[in-house]
Amino acid sequence: MPEKQQPQQAQPPQAQRWALPPAVTRIDMATPRWAADALVSRRADGTYRWAVAGAITAGLYSFFSWLGVQTPGQDLLVAALGQFGAWLAAFVGIICLVVMAFSARQVLQTLRDRALYVRPGLSRSAADIQTMHMWPVRNIPGPIIALAESGVSAAMGPGRFVWYATCLLWPVAIGWFVLADIARTHFQAGIVTVLAFAATAMTARLLTLALAPEDLVRAIPTARGDEENAPAFWSKGLIKAPDASVEPERIEDPGSHAKNSPFEGTAGNFVDDYYR
């Protein structure tokens, strides 16, 4: 005898956000809120990985530059290795910087699309939303404001200052490299670049955490330890629903409904059952 198939239940939004289909690459009118947040988080994770790789590379560049500072002409082999290592680290670091910048731009574009199509919509025009995400200087506070107006209250927390620090550190790091002329100033520029990469990585991670689904935790745990099988505290009502299998006309006297009452036993048993 074939088994009866159980109807499949729809996956809750909190679980769907971490199972975003790879085909979802852009946000439009038909994109649900959880999918838009998941797409932003996916692209922010890419920025985070490239920023971490860039921070490691910039750290190696600073180390090799430090070798040149410590051995100015005293040990030719160490100086040559330091110079070669610095050039190699600078080449890899530029690649990480370019890819990270492209990834960060994608994050800003995705945040812009999220702000355009979020429901309920923002009280801003499409041109204003485009400006506050993609225009330099304006896109420093712009994404934070858009996230806060769309209901992400965590965007206005202390983490936003990490993003502000990121926007400040990158011009300083690039300017330091342009003006550097000796090994010592190149070493200093490398340290500032490490800080800029680290701030970028932290900003991407904070954005992912701000858009992460909330964890619903029961305020009253079960006494028996089987959290999955026990009914939730707020799911129990004071009035028990009538059994559909009992026909109303078969109830002979008014006092027979007491058998279906949830208030059976002593008061202590009822309290233990109600709060289990």
Side-chain angles (χ1 to χ4, degrees), residues 9-23:
Q9 297 180 355
Q11 192 178 14
Q14 287 82 359
Q16 285 179 338
R17 294 180 65 175
W18 300 113
L20 183 65

Side-chain angles (χ1 to χ4, degrees), residues 57 81 113 119 152 202 234:
T57 306
L81 289 177
D113 295 340
R119 294 293 176 268
V152 185
M202 189 177 299
W234 49 85

Side-chain angles (χ1 to χ4, degrees), residues 100-116:
M100 187 203 69
F102 177 76
S103 179
R105 179 179 173 80
Q106 282 190 321
V107 173
L108 290 175
Q109 289 176 339
T110 310
L111 286 173
R112 176 203 60 192
D113 295 340
R114 179 187 180 277
L116 284 172

